Amino acid sequence: MTNEPARRPGGRSARVRAAVHAAVAELIAERGYGGCTVKDIAARAGVADTSIYRRWGDLNALLIDVALARLTDGSPLPDTGDLPGDLTAYAAQVARDITGPAGPAIPRLMAALSEAGTTARAAFVEARSHQLNTMLTRAHDRGEPVITTVEILDHVLAPMYTRVLFGVGGVDEKYAADLVKRALERAS
Amino acid sequence: MTNEPARRPGGRSARVRAAVHAAVAELIAERGYGGCTVKDIAARAGVADTSIYRRWGDLNALLIDVALARLTDGSPLPDTGDLPGDLTAYAAQVARDITGPAGPAIPRLMAALSEAGTTARAAFVEARSHQLNTMLTRAHDRGEPVITTVEILDHVLAPMYTRVLFGVGGVDEKYAADLVKRALERAS
């Protein structure tokens, strides 16, 4: 027993989710995906296998939930006052995220996502697009030149993802900022 | 018995490889990766499981070999006379490749590659870089402005891979050509 408040609202259900998500990230970092089974995740998280199957259905669905959570929980949306500032902060967050402890999980999460069918993939893309559209709408309302979410995917996110995937060229905040600058040169 | 010459040199060993590679592509297209086991691949290819284990070691190594083969066998190197022509033809090949029958396999192959350790990944990157460097060296020798292989990865290949992965925006030869044009505007 402690007096610390729960870190997330929702009580036991939210604690189970947080423990399972943390277990997935740890196991992937330690062993890669070959060693990442529902049984191992349950043992690491201190929950029953059946709790995972009941809640997520299968391992693939759990992996997608982890990927979605990394997008929607992990990255508070920047609001710096202008689009170059917002996009630079956003791209720096992505660079930190994909080169951090969860980085090695990303290619497998992408694979799971691409096999999950159009609904799960659309939910993932929707989550990321929603974040970007909020920034772009603010910029448009301020009268700034803007680009599209697909242009951000093409010219800011894609090069970072692909560098990490292939282990080529390196990804850091400077590189992320250069990609944003280059993409915004075409803003109108 | 037929009078047709073998399509590849190497006799039985090469035929086994071709049959196994074709089986991998078919099974992935039909079932996704969940249903793609060494046993199923062997059955489809008409070879013994043990032939696959002896030759490739495990499923992951086989998937990487298939990915490498798609790069090195599948795409004859364009030689159109100038770099814009070569890169446009190359990018169009990649666009056809990743949106064709083997397209659904690519995210999983990327995941396998990223988990395969630095040696296998370096071999993969090396194969693609070698193709690109041949084109870039020819262009340099002709006195044309050039870009680097990493710039081609960042600004031509990465956007196409990521669009296919996320099912966003579409990939065709026109889009590939636009990416090349945009990348070459910075050639020096």
Side-chain angles (χ1 to χ4, degrees):
Chain A
M1 295 289 290
T2 96
N3 288 320
E4 281 185 3
R7 279 185 296 173
R8 290 176 187 282
R12 174 169 159 71
S13 170
R15 287 196 303 276
V16 167
R17 181 169 180 269
V20 169
H21 278 220
V24 170
E26 287 172 21
L27 285 169
I28 289 166
E30 288 168 23
R31 313 181 185 177
Y33 275 89
C36 191
T37 65
V38 168
K39 192 176 159 65
D40 294 332
I41 293 166
R44 179 66 64 99
V47 305
D49 296 14
T50 49
S51 299
I52 292 182
Y53 286 114
R54 196 166 52 236
R55 180 163 188 155
W56 283 281
D58 63 22
L59 179 60
N60 230 25
L62 170 56
L63 294 177
I64 290 161
D65 189 45
V66 172
L68 275 169
R70 292 204 59 78
L71 282 181
T72 52
D73 303 350
S75 303
L77 204 59
D79 188 5
T80 64
D82 64 21
L83 185 60
D86 283 0
L87 276 181
T88 302
Y90 178 83
Q93 280 174 357
V94 172
R96 286 192 297 270
D97 211 32
I98 64 179
T99 57
I106 290 171
R108 178 64 182 231
L109 293 173
M110 285 186 169
L113 200 64
S114 75
E115 289 164 25
T118 49
T119 307
R121 197 163 64 168
F124 180 93
V125 170
E126 178 60 34
R128 179 138 274 179
S129 296
H130 179 72
Q131 292 183 317
L132 293 171
N133 273 323
T134 303
M135 280 192 281
L136 294 170
T137 302
R138 281 198 309 245
H140 181 263
D141 291 347
R142 286 188 300 256
E144 292 182 73
V146 295
I147 57 179
T148 66
T149 55
V150 175
E151 286 175 309
I152 296 170
L153 180 71
D154 283 350
H155 301 298
V156 179
L157 300 175
M160 292 197 283
Y161 292 153
T162 307
R163 281 186 168 208
V164 167
L165 202 55
F166 289 133
V168 167
V171 170
D172 59 19
E173 295 185 23
K174 164 77 168 63
Y175 176 65
D178 286 345
L179 289 172
V180 168
K181 188 157 173 278
R182 180 170 175 154
L184 285 176
E185 283 171 9
R186 299 188 169 239
S188 58
Chain B
M1 295 291 290
T2 96
N3 288 320
E4 280 185 3
R7 279 185 295 174
R8 290 175 187 282
R12 175 169 159 71
S13 170
R15 286 196 303 276
V16 167
R17 181 169 182 267
V20 169
H21 278 220
V24 169
E26 287 173 20
L27 286 169
I28 289 167
E30 287 169 23
R31 313 181 185 176
Y33 276 89
C36 191
T37 65
V38 168
K39 193 177 160 64
D40 294 331
I41 293 165
R44 179 66 63 99
V47 304
D49 296 14
T50 48
S51 298
I52 292 181
Y53 287 113
R54 196 166 52 234
R55 180 161 188 156
W56 283 280
D58 62 21
L59 180 60
N60 230 25
L62 170 56
L63 294 177
I64 291 161
D65 189 46
V66 172
L68 275 169
R70 292 203 61 77
L71 281 180
T72 52
D73 302 351
S75 302
L77 204 59
D79 189 5
T80 64
D82 64 20
L83 185 59
D86 283 0
L87 276 181
T88 301
Y90 179 84
Q93 280 175 356
V94 172
R96 285 192 298 268
D97 211 31
I98 65 179
T99 58
I106 290 172
R108 176 63 182 232
L109 293 173
M110 285 187 168
L113 199 64
S114 75
E115 289 163 26
T118 49
T119 307
R121 198 163 62 168
F124 181 92
V125 170
E126 177 61 33
R128 180 137 272 180
S129 295
H130 179 73
Q131 293 183 316
L132 294 172
N133 272 324
T134 302
M135 280 192 281
L136 294 170
T137 302
R138 281 197 308 244
H140 181 263
D141 291 347
R142 286 188 299 255
E144 292 182 71
V146 295
I147 58 179
T148 67
T149 55
V150 175
E151 286 174 308
I152 296 169
L153 180 71
D154 284 349
H155 303 296
V156 178
L157 300 176
M160 291 197 284
Y161 292 153
T162 307
R163 282 186 166 208
V164 168
L165 203 54
F166 290 133
V168 168
V171 170
D172 58 19
E173 295 186 23
K174 165 76 168 63
Y175 175 65
D178 287 345
L179 289 172
V180 168
K181 188 157 174 278
R182 180 168 175 155
L184 285 176
E185 283 171 9
R186 297 184 171 243
S188 58

